[in-house]
Amino acid sequence: HVQLVESGGGSVQAGGSLRLSCAASTGTFRSACMGWIRQVSGKEREGVASIDSDGETTYADSVKGRFTISRDNAKNTVYLQMNSLQTEDTAMYYCAMGVPSCQRFDYWGQGTQVTVS
């Protein structure tokens, strides 16, 4: 059973920064694609960023240049550094794992709330 546990959410003023972390309970992490997806209540999910097992990254246009996704395979952890936060970034942020690719996310965390005011 794969568990993904997010942390690092919170409230911040516009222009501020937050760093989200997601720890995976499985060594499968090394060969998995990891992604961050956000959702505002009543709206569809939006893919924010992803990083595959080779370290290749993708970003939504809305966060390019402001957010950075990275991974530490030794710690089975993926990070999302969020800078220059805007009110539009307010959402629940979910960590997800796709094995072996980013085409489909098989496992999801419980989410962490980010509120920008």
Side-chain angles (χ1 to χ4, degrees), residues 10-60:
S11 297
V12 65
Q13 291 188 335
S17 298
L18 283 174
R19 188 195 196 202
L20 305 183
S21 300
C22 171
S25 64
T26 175
T28 305
F29 177 89
R30 293 173 181 266
S31 59
C33 173
M34 300 300 298
W36 288 97
I37 298 91
R38 65 188 181 187
Q39 187 170 25
V40 177
S41 181
K43 296 187 177 181
E44 291 190 359
R45 289 175 178 172
E46 176 190 19
V48 175
S50 67
I51 183 166
D52 68 14
S53 57
D54 294 324
E56 187 169 341
T57 59
T58 62
Y59 295 94

Side-chain angles (χ1 to χ4, degrees), residues 11-117:
S11 297
V12 65
Q13 291 188 335
S17 298
L18 283 174
R19 188 195 196 202
L20 305 183
S21 300
C22 171
S25 64
T26 175
T28 305
F29 177 89
R30 293 173 181 266
S31 59
C33 173
M34 300 300 298
W36 288 97
I37 298 91
R38 65 188 181 187
Q39 187 170 25
V40 177
S41 181
K43 296 187 177 181
E44 291 190 359
R45 289 175 178 172
E46 176 190 19
V48 175
S50 67
I51 183 166
D52 68 14
S53 57
D54 294 324
E56 187 169 341
T57 59
T58 62
Y59 295 94
D61 288 343
S62 58
V63 307
K64 280 180 182 176
R66 300 188 298 120
F67 291 11
T68 302
I69 188 170
S70 61
R71 65 192 296 160
D72 185 339
N73 288 340
K75 296 182 179 180
N76 288 352
T77 301
V78 63
Y79 305 97
L80 185 68
Q81 177 67 44
M82 305 185 294
N83 298 328
S84 301
L85 282 161
Q86 304 167 356
T87 54
E88 307 86 82
D89 297 317
T90 295
M92 184 70 79
Y93 284 72
Y94 296 91
C95 169
M97 173 186 285
V99 184
S101 73
C102 300
Q103 289 188 336
R104 185 187 74 183
F105 289 113
D106 304 289
Y107 306 100
W108 292 76
Q110 81 287 351
T112 186
Q113 178 68 38
V114 171
T115 302
V116 185
S117 60

